[in-house]
Amino acid sequence: MAVRACAGLLRSSSGFCSLNQTFRFQLNIRTFSTQPVCHSRSSSQSKVLLHFVNQNGMKTSVTGTEGESLLDVVVKKNVQIDGFGACEGTLSCSTCHLIFEDSMYDRMETMADDEMDMLDLAYGLTKTSRLGCQVTLQPWMDGMTVRVPQEVKDQRDVQETKSKQ
Amino acid sequence: MLYASKWLGILPSSGSCSCSVSLLVRKLSSVSGAAPKVCIVGGGPAGFYTAQQLLKARHDIVVDIYERLPVPFGLVRFGVAPDHPEVKNVINTFTQTAHSERFYFHGNVNVGMDISVEELKEAYHAVVLSYGAEGNRSLAVSGEDLIGVFSARDFVGWYNGHPSNKELHPDLNCETVVILGQGNVALDIARVLLSPLDMLKKTDITQRALQTLAASRVRRVLMVGRRGPLQIAGTIKEVREMINLPGTKADLLPVDYDGIAEALNGRNVDRAHDKNIENGGWWTGSKQAMGIRFLRSPVKVLPGADGKRVAGIRLAVKKLEGSGEGAQAIPTGHTEDLECGMVICSIGYKSLPIDPAVPFDPRRAIVQNNLGRVQGTAGLYCSGWLKRGPTGVIATTMNDSFDTARIILNDLEAGTLDMSIHKPGAQDITALLKARGVREVSFSEWEKINSEEVRRGEALGKPREKLLDVEEMLAVAWS
């Protein structure tokens, strides 16, 4: 985390600034990755089957719609992930962090700096991690398995302490 | 609000029929002593996330939050920068928790003064301390008491409308402000000091702060840190915001970064960017600068001619030994003086003990605990900054609070907390408070304050205009 912040400074220290960073004059208003409540969907949009595997290894299978974000799916389908999506999809937290299969991750669009900034703060970060609010469902994701990351301190610490008392 | 409704696993009930059924269930539970009653001290994110997890896990548990101010949400309301409104979205999920039938908010109650922790322990099966860190780490240098030296906490509280900071009146009639510290709070303050007013006036920053900033002569903000660029505590998003701030140039010394590029690796350094020359860049016309100075630590705050007001700061020049997080800043024996009209100390918050009955570690400034169980006493827990120390973002506190909640739930299951003993809960506490002349603010009464703030904000083109005065808040709440 400190390393990336330093890198940001390094880029600026020579007094240069890349063009795509120039035009952020307004408030840090992040656009939602998709509409938070989807009312009308074209019937031609595909359904995408998803499997969520939680920290205990339990699998929940739900169907999302092409164009929705994974955050939309978790909310609408009430997938039980504690504290998911605290900032409601505005790239201001890391609580929608999910881990993907290599083959899926490699096909996804490259992460923008904004997402990387927040993802850097997530627990249990892996090489195939993304923020769920930034991943939009595509038909080729049908059947994809998504893992909920481990927290730094997990339930095993709790059990161990209990047995010692 | 759609997003928030999923957190509880129970939606608020509708209709009077289910209301009276649940009232009956609640009465029966309290008679048999079966319903566990938990109270939480502190209505910030730690308190609300702990409550949320408890309510979700057990359909019989009753949770009461006691909060000193009439208004809830702690640092989400008073700490998060006004130009980071999305970070405050968590308020929606907290509000949903607050609307749960088995949750009660008790604002305007000062635990430690109006009621003791012992009294709470008698009335509840479990008490959770989540009151955060209201103190500051001290500089411990001479000149700290000069006019114009502020703690970051007070300064942020001032522009965010905290009642205890409303008389701060910082004098921004100087050119340079030095901020000691390079964490996200320091970056927030620097950004607020130099942001274009057009940006700030659409946020929930207080009108008072806006007016002071409009009259500000501050053109240069320097963030001074003890160690080097690799040890900076601020996160990349905030650093990026600093670099991109309109009308302000980033004032950095290339010599500070000698040898750093080689130390960085992976996806983080894009050398192509360094070559991306912006000729006649948009900031060359700027008269403002936000800068960072490394390897400097404060020796003395220097007074001006009148001996009362800050005019500069003397810094010891350091060098770094070791690398990474463990790097140490070693003195070189040299000092340098920086001219400035204000010094803001952003070197860390600190928790304070509020009740002698609670074991407190003065060195680490946290409540002594093991995984959230307060040491040496049953039925007492802690969560958030009070438990682990005052660092981390909201998500850190969220995970920590979930951990404490799970510990409590484990103890309920295991019988460590004896649910067969009947506990009166809020019934007794409210009676005690009334007898002492303390009147509470309920959540729906806070919502009256909320509506009033939103109404006042609308007139000014802002999301809200915060009430600055506790008396005024109470008047609106109880109107």
Side-chain angles (χ1 to χ4, degrees):
Chain A
M1 168 176 105
V3 164
R4 289 205 61 238
C6 172
L9 291 170
L10 186 65
R11 253 178 252 144
S12 170
S13 70
S14 51
F16 305 139
C17 175
S18 61
L19 277 170
N20 65 5
Q21 289 174 338
T22 312
F23 300 110
R24 291 212 228 129
F25 292 118
Q26 64 270 28
L27 290 172
N28 285 324
I29 295 167
R30 316 276 187 197
T31 52
F32 280 70
S33 61
T34 183
Q35 295 156 9
V37 177
C38 310
H39 288 299
S40 53
R41 287 276 165 205
S42 149
S43 56
S44 64
Q45 280 171 314
S46 331
K47 294 290 178 196
V48 179
L49 177 65
L50 299 164
H51 308 291
F52 287 89
V53 177
N54 73 7
Q55 291 143 335
N56 298 327
M58 261 180 48
K59 188 159 87 164
T60 309
S61 301
V62 296
T63 312
T65 310
E66 181 188 348
E68 286 183 325
S69 75
L70 282 171
L71 174 59
D72 293 334
V73 173
V74 167
V75 170
K76 279 169 61 178
K77 299 291 179 175
N78 208 24
V79 180
Q80 292 298 311
I81 308 174
D82 280 338
F84 199 82
C87 77
E88 300 179 2
T90 55
L91 281 175
S92 304
C93 76
S94 57
T95 60
C96 68
H97 168 210
L98 293 166
I99 300 169
F100 297 84
E101 302 155 300
D102 285 5
S103 54
M104 292 291 157
Y105 181 82
D106 290 337
R107 276 184 82 172
M108 290 176 183
E109 278 176 35
T110 323
M111 241 189 286
D113 279 343
D114 284 0
E115 183 185 345
M116 215 185 289
D117 289 353
M118 287 295 117
L119 193 56
D120 269 359
L121 307 180
Y123 288 101
L125 195 60
T126 70
K127 289 202 187 88
T128 56
S129 285
R130 291 292 302 261
L131 292 181
C133 66
Q134 300 302 300
V135 175
T136 309
L137 290 185
Q138 308 295 328
W140 55 262
M141 292 178 183
D142 191 38
M144 172 167 76
T145 297
V146 177
R147 277 191 299 123
V148 176
Q150 291 295 326
E151 291 170 26
V152 168
K153 205 191 301 175
D154 62 29
Q155 285 298 325
R156 282 170 294 176
D157 290 357
V158 173
Q159 296 304 327
E160 267 168 36
T161 313
K162 265 183 69 178
S163 59
K164 280 181 195 151
Q165 287 175 341
Chain B
M1 291 302 274
L2 172 71
Y3 283 50
S5 67
K6 67 174 278 295
W7 300 131
L8 298 175
I10 41 157
L11 295 171
S13 67
S14 55
S16 55
C17 181
S18 52
C19 242
S20 45
V21 166
S22 59
L23 252 175
L24 184 64
V25 166
R26 204 168 351 123
K27 286 204 155 98
L28 281 175
S29 300
S30 63
V31 162
S32 67
K37 299 213 175 89
V38 179
C39 84
I40 298 174
V41 179
F48 271 92
Y49 274 127
T50 307
Q52 195 180 81
Q53 193 71 355
L54 289 170
L55 288 163
K56 186 173 151 184
R58 287 189 72 118
H59 289 204
D60 58 349
I61 203 165
V62 176
V63 179
D64 291 292
I65 283 189
Y66 292 91
E67 159 61 44
R68 183 178 56 190
L69 288 173
V71 298
F73 309 137
L75 283 177
V76 177
R77 176 180 166 100
F78 295 117
V80 175
D83 58 350
H84 288 167
E86 320 82 11
V87 177
K88 304 188 202 193
N89 281 347
V90 290
I91 286 179
N92 295 335
T93 186
F94 298 159
T95 301
Q96 195 69 15
T97 297
H99 288 158
S100 160
E101 283 207 333
R102 293 171 284 113
F103 174 96
Y104 302 91
F105 176 76
H106 307 259
N108 197 42
V109 176
N110 189 331
V111 174
M113 273 184 48
D114 299 334
I115 197 104
S116 74
V117 170
E118 277 307 314
E119 285 168 328
L120 289 176
K121 280 176 71 183
E122 275 180 33
Y124 289 92
H125 292 101
V127 175
V128 188
L129 303 173
S130 311
Y131 61 79
E134 66 179 306
N136 311 290
R137 289 178 63 196
S138 163
L139 264 189
V141 299
S142 115
E144 205 171 350
D145 297 323
L146 290 171
I147 299 170
V149 181
F150 299 102
S151 72
R153 190 210 181 80
D154 284 345
F155 197 82
V156 171
W158 167 74
Y159 64 63
N160 274 341
H162 196 292
S164 37
N165 301 125
K166 68 179 192 267
E167 304 302 338
L168 203 74
H169 305 301
D171 184 352
L172 297 178
N173 191 27
C174 59
E175 235 190 42
T176 303
V177 172
V178 165
I179 304 177
L180 298 168
Q182 295 164 340
N184 283 344
V185 179
L187 286 162
D188 280 352
I189 292 174
R191 208 173 59 246
V192 166
L193 281 170
L194 295 176
S195 280
L197 276 170
D198 278 343
M199 279 167 65
L200 286 177
K201 72 182 187 197
K202 295 180 205 149
T203 70
D204 64 3
I205 195 170
T206 65
Q207 275 308 97
R208 218 181 256 200
L210 214 48
Q211 279 152 11
T212 305
L213 288 164
S216 160
R217 267 206 321 122
V218 175
R219 293 290 169 257
R220 194 163 159 241
V221 177
L222 287 174
M223 285 168 284
V224 174
R226 226 170 11 101
R227 299 190 294 171
L230 283 174
Q231 288 77 35
I232 191 174
T235 51
I236 184 73
K237 173 187 167 191
E238 279 73 12
V239 168
R240 204 188 293 284
E241 282 171 338
M242 173 192 91
I243 293 167
N244 290 336
L245 192 64
T248 298
K249 99 173 180 198
D251 172 10
L252 305 161
L253 304 175
V255 65
D256 281 338
Y257 303 89
D258 278 350
I260 297 291
E262 289 74 42
L264 298 173
N265 55 24
R267 69 184 183 194
N268 304 328
V269 174
D270 185 356
R271 301 237 160 72
H273 266 207
D274 294 344
K275 294 188 176 81
N276 196 349
I277 297 167
E278 178 77 9
N279 285 325
W282 54 267
W283 66 76
T284 52
S286 77
K287 303 184 189 80
Q288 295 188 155
M290 196 190 302
I292 301 202
R293 295 288 180 270
F294 296 102
L295 298 170
R296 302 285 184 272
S297 70
V299 169
K300 186 176 171 171
V301 183
L302 305 167
D306 65 358
K308 293 188 194 141
R309 189 170 277 279
V310 62
I313 185 162
R314 178 157 297 154
L315 303 169
V317 178
K318 306 282 205 182
K319 62 176 186 228
L320 215 55
E321 248 176 41
S323 62
E325 288 301 303
Q328 305 269 0
I330 311 291
T332 60
H334 298 299
T335 64
E336 61 188 35
D337 290 355
L338 273 180
E339 209 178 296
C340 62
M342 184 180 288
V343 173
I344 301 182
C345 308
S346 185
I347 56 175
Y349 290 51
K350 199 168 80 165
S351 291
L352 303 175
I354 59 165
D355 192 306
V358 179
F360 192 80
D361 178 345
R363 192 184 59 85
R364 291 179 63 194
I366 56 170
V367 166
Q368 283 167 347
N369 75 95
N370 182 21
L371 290 182
R373 289 190 187 94
V374 175
Q375 276 170 6
T377 173
L380 195 57
Y381 301 82
C382 53
S383 68
W385 281 5
L386 186 60
K387 169 180 161 196
R388 291 162 27 116
T391 57
V393 294
I394 293 177
T396 324
T397 292
M398 179 184 86
N399 282 308
D400 177 84
S401 303
F402 287 173
D403 282 346
T404 293
R406 283 186 211 121
I407 290 277
I408 296 170
L409 292 163
N410 279 334
D411 287 354
L412 284 170
E413 299 290 313
T416 317
L417 292 171
D418 192 352
M419 277 189 289
S420 66
I421 303 175
H422 164 69
K423 292 284 189 179
Q427 215 174 326
D428 274 15
I429 300 297
T430 300
L432 269 174
L433 289 168
K434 253 192 195 151
R436 294 169 189 173
V438 177
R439 184 175 165 184
E440 298 171 358
V441 171
S442 69
F443 199 80
S444 54
E445 286 168 340
W446 139 249
E447 283 175 323
K448 283 157 75 175
I449 299 173
N450 184 45
S451 299
E452 177 59 18
E453 289 185 343
V454 169
R455 190 189 69 81
R456 292 189 191 187
E458 264 164 19
L460 298 160
K462 295 159 80 173
R464 72 175 60 241
E465 181 57 34
K466 290 175 190 168
L467 271 61
L468 302 183
D469 191 69
V470 170
E471 293 306 320
E472 208 183 351
M473 289 176 184
L474 294 174
V476 170
W478 297 331
S479 63

